Amino acid sequence: MENSLFEKIISREISADIVWESEDVLVFRDIAPQAPTHLLAIPKRHFERIAEFPDQETELLGKVLIGAKKAAANVGLAQTGYRLVINNGLDAGETVPHLHVHILGGRKMQWPPG
């Protein structure tokens, strides 16, 4: 099976504007932003989506969320706020089969979102 776009970013086959990184997590700017600031936080290990994410991997999922928090602070979103979104499946708008958390900010968000 061919590597996903995100796996190619992790391996540096494709460049990305990386804003935060750890041993397990990578956070970079989305190439098709849906807000003034739109980042993606991904685990460096491949998991297709949250529905298939193993229950025993709670530590890794926590690291992804902490990476999202740290990246949001690094780009100045901590004071005004931001939204975290995880899409699961085609009906939710998922387009890349690699678990990722959208970090959206830089404007007032509306509710309900969808």
Side-chain angles (χ1 to χ4, degrees):
M1 182 176 179
E2 186 177 326
N3 286 343
S4 75
L5 172 67
F6 293 168
E7 290 167 298
K8 290 178 181 178
I9 290 171
I10 292 165
S11 68
R12 306 304 201 262
E13 292 176 55
I14 296 175
S15 65
D17 185 357
I18 297 169
V19 298
W20 190 86
E21 183 173 11
S22 71
E23 182 180 333
D24 301 305
V25 177
L26 189 67
V27 183
F28 52 93
R29 293 188 187 278
D30 194 302
I31 60 169
Q34 301 300 305
T37 301
H38 187 170
L39 311 174
L40 300 172
I42 63 172
K44 289 184 177 179
R45 289 179 30 223
H46 178 76
F47 298 96
E48 284 202 8
R49 61 190 51 88
I50 194 69
E52 284 91 25
F53 201 83
D55 291 349
Q56 66 272 20
E57 292 288 348
T58 56
E59 183 178 351
L60 178 57
L61 189 56
K63 288 178 179 182
V64 172
L65 293 176
I66 294 299
K69 175 188 84 162
K70 290 182 177 185
N74 284 354
V75 299
L77 296 177
Q79 294 300 318
T80 57
Y82 53 93
R83 179 171 288 167
L84 301 180
V85 175
I86 300 174
N87 297 323
N88 187 80
L90 295 176
D91 282 355
E94 179 186 290
T95 58
V96 178
H98 187 116
L99 175 69
H100 53 286
V101 177
H102 296 264
I103 305 154
L104 302 158
R107 67 171 165 81
K108 181 121 173 109
M109 299 288 159
Q110 301 298 311
W111 196 263

